[in-house]
Amino acid sequence: MNEMIGTAAGAIWMALSENGAMSAKDLKKAAKIKTDKELYLAMGWLLREDKLNVAEEGKEMTLCLK
């Protein structure tokens, strides 16, 4: 499980590095992550490492690298 989450976190980091700020929905597509669970676990990993900013805009979350 840790390996899968780490791989997804790396894919999120790469997608944000290449594309800038994105919604969670767009990030899931760009990082080619299959499930919401995998997306949110990987986001948590990056948040814990203080590498990710999350902002809420209405009902939408926007994510970007620090």
Side-chain angles (χ1 to χ4, degrees), residues 8-60:
I12 288 172
W13 193 91
M14 290 297 293
L16 290 172
S17 177
E18 292 172 359
N19 300 306
M22 302 175 80
S23 70
K25 181 179 175 182
D26 292 338
L27 181 56
K28 184 178 172 186
K29 287 180 189 175
K32 298 178 183 171
I33 293 176
K34 296 176 185 172
T35 66
D36 287 342
K37 176 180 156 182
E38 190 176 338
L39 174 69
Y40 293 122
L41 286 169
M43 285 171 44
W45 179 306
L46 292 169
L47 284 165
R48 179 72 174 129
E49 290 186 347
D50 200 30
K51 294 184 178 180
L52 193 64
N53 281 329
V54 180
E56 270 190 286
E57 296 176 13
K59 293 183 179 183
E60 197 73 33

